[in-house]
Amino acid sequence: MREGGRRLRRLGFAAVFALAASAATAQTHQFSTDQRNLACGSPSAIGDGWATATPESAGLDGGRLCGIAARLTASNANVHAVVIARRGMLVFEQYFPGYDEPWGMGSGLHDFDAVTKHDMRSVSKSVVSLLVGIAIDRELIKSADEPIVKFFPDYSAVKSPGWDSITLRHLLTMSSGMQWDENRAWKDPQNDEPHLGSEADPYRYVLSKPVAAPPDTVWTYNGGGTDLLGNILERVSGKSLDAFAREALFTPLGISDWEWMKYHNEHIASAVGLRLRPRDAAKIGQLVLNKGAWADRQVVSAKWIEQSITPRFQAIGYFGGLFYYGQQWWMGRTLSADKEVKWIAAMGLGGQRLFIVPDLDLVVMTTSGLYGSSRQGNAALEILANFVIPAVRDK
């Protein structure tokens, strides 16, 4: 599976780290030097709304967490950021240079720090789900069981038979039954995803796809459905998706430095185009952990969060592994020592991973540049299983 309407030339990992060794003159951001001078993993104070603390004060073994950097270096993991929050406080962050393919900026070696935005790729889908929940909370949408065609009367002549039965919830759970395949090479003409960026009217393209199975029976990974949800939000709010996201979600979370990129056809890339600072992405995780609340404000209803993170389908093969899928959120479990720990996640191509571990009051966000690599999920899961969970020192 591929994302985002563009595929750039990739460097081998050996070449990447050779470049890293000679990159002493590469431009760095304001906080890079400060970050290196701090104790291992100490969060920077940048006035973004996060309360910061030491790992030990939040019941974590800081020494164990300090082993993350050595492990990532030894395994050439090309991870760019590791951010950890516990008990509602930011307790650990580390950033690493590496190869990346940031949207619109060109591939190559990049430096990262606390104020660097990173492509979220399909983590964007989980954010769209939160925005749909907010729209329902505000009664802009009656419910997730509303039929899709209700919002697209201008496409009634092009919709394929069977679309009358497809609801927002079917798009959210990727169970619409529409014929869709993005698990192909990017240049394969049968890959549906590139059409989202190349078609003059991508919504017409999606709505004209045939319905191959009854809704709510088959799970198929589908970014086209998420782009429809993004356009529905625009239609019901009277705002562009990024304007609605700013007002309804990002401003309440104190997220001010972000981008939601557009395809070449000038349509916003709802399913894959969000760029956030990793510590701001961790706020999204904390919001879910807090059942929709942030800083004593209910941003999205607890009911919507519960519906979103309830497993509805088994999802095999995407991002590597056996998981379950809710409403644009993934669910899984990790075996760490003798403990089986359940988690909720938002996942994006290249190793973008937002893990939420309710039983441990824990949020872990990682970003990386493993596009097209079968290892893209391994590094984040290894950090979670072999470092973060074993670092918990309380019940």
Side-chain angles (χ1 to χ4, degrees):
M1 180 186 56
R2 300 175 186 271
E3 304 175 359
R6 56 191 302 116
R7 284 297 171 266
L8 304 172
R9 181 173 58 87
R10 297 177 175 84
L11 298 177
F13 289 111
V16 169
F17 284 91
L19 283 171
S22 63
T25 59
Q27 181 179 5
T28 59
H29 293 280
Q30 175 182 353
F31 290 94
S32 294
T33 300
D34 293 341
Q35 180 66 27
R36 285 192 290 268
N37 290 337
L38 292 169
C40 166
S42 296
S44 299
I46 61 174
D48 63 347
W50 268 116
T52 60
T54 64
E56 285 75 16
S57 69
L60 295 174
D61 180 349
R64 181 83 182 219
L65 298 179
C66 281
I68 292 174
R71 175 57 182 157
L72 293 178
T73 300
S75 61
N76 288 353
N78 197 26
V79 168
H80 302 152
V82 180
V83 175
I84 302 171
R86 187 147 201 254
R87 299 177 182 167
M89 299 177 292
L90 196 67
V91 298
F92 184 91
E93 63 175 351
Q94 279 192 311
Y95 301 92
F96 311 91
Y99 172 77
D100 198 22
E101 299 175 9
W103 191 308
M105 299 181 193
S107 60
L109 186 70
H110 291 264
D111 196 30
F112 300 94
D113 59 30
V115 295
T116 309
K117 294 187 292 294
H118 200 285
D119 283 9
M120 294 291 106
R121 302 299 175 102
S122 281
V123 172
S124 309
K125 294 178 172 69
S126 302
V127 175
V128 168
S129 176
L130 292 173
L131 293 172
V132 171
I134 293 171
I136 291 173
D137 292 341
R138 295 182 177 186
E139 299 183 348
L140 299 175
I141 298 171
K142 185 177 179 180
S143 79
D145 298 312
E146 290 277 87
I148 292 300
V149 295
K150 172 183 176 180
F151 302 96
F152 294 99
D154 44 330
Y155 291 93
S156 59
V158 301
K159 65 180 175 66
S160 298
W163 271 93
D164 290 342
S165 300
I166 297 175
T167 68
L168 275 75
R169 196 178 307 279
H170 295 138
L171 297 185
L172 287 161
T173 59
M174 297 195 179
S175 64
S176 67
M178 80 169 88
Q179 184 177 300
W180 190 269
D181 187 355
E182 57 186 70
N183 192 30
R184 292 174 175 268
W186 186 252
K187 294 184 178 180
D188 188 326
Q190 295 186 62
N191 187 337
D192 287 299
E193 190 186 6
H195 290 273
L196 297 173
S198 62
E199 298 283 337
D201 188 344
Y203 312 121
R204 175 181 292 268
Y205 176 81
V206 178
L207 289 164
S208 65
K209 295 294 292 183
V211 177
D216 209 32
T217 60
V218 178
W219 184 87
T220 302
Y221 196 81
N222 186 333
T226 308
D227 274 20
L228 286 185
L229 291 170
N231 189 240
I232 289 171
L233 289 168
E234 294 181 326
R235 289 169 178 247
V236 301
S237 69
K239 302 176 181 179
S240 64
L241 179 63
D242 53 344
F244 181 66
R246 178 184 296 109
E247 179 268 321
L249 182 62
F250 295 144
T251 296
L253 295 182
I255 298 174
S256 59
D257 186 13
W258 59 278
E259 299 172 280
W260 212 317
M261 309 302 287
K262 292 181 178 179
Y263 295 120
H264 290 305
N265 59 15
E266 290 302 309
H267 289 282
I268 196 162
S270 302
V272 296
L274 185 59
R275 286 173 49 79
L276 292 171
R277 298 175 180 178
R279 48 193 286 161
D280 282 337
K283 291 181 181 180
I284 301 292
Q286 191 66 45
L287 181 76
V288 173
L289 184 61
N290 292 347
K291 301 181 180 179
W294 173 266
D296 298 322
R297 175 176 176 177
Q298 197 70 37
V299 179
V300 59
S301 67
K303 179 181 178 181
W304 183 257
I305 297 297
E306 181 181 1
Q307 291 176 9
S308 298
I309 62 175
T310 297
R312 296 179 182 271
F313 286 91
Q314 185 167 286
I316 303 174
Y318 290 87
F319 297 113
L322 169 63
F323 306 122
Y324 299 97
Y325 203 74
Q327 293 183 166
Q328 309 276 282
W329 289 91
W330 302 81
M331 280 127 274
R333 58 191 66 194
T334 289
L335 186 64
S336 180
D338 60 345
K339 297 183 293 185
E340 187 176 74
V341 180
K342 295 181 180 180
W343 45 256
I344 302 149
M347 301 191 189
L349 184 74
Q352 323 323 319
R353 299 290 188 271
L354 173 59
F355 290 112
I356 303 149
V357 189
D359 290 347
L360 298 179
D361 199 1
L362 187 68
V363 174
V364 181
M365 178 68 203
T366 66
T367 59
S368 69
L370 295 170
Y371 307 100
S373 170
S374 60
R375 301 192 306 156
Q376 62 177 279
N378 296 350
L381 283 170
E382 182 180 3
I383 291 169
L384 182 68
N386 295 340
F387 292 92
V388 183
I389 293 174
V392 175
R393 291 291 179 258
D394 59 16
K395 295 183 180 180

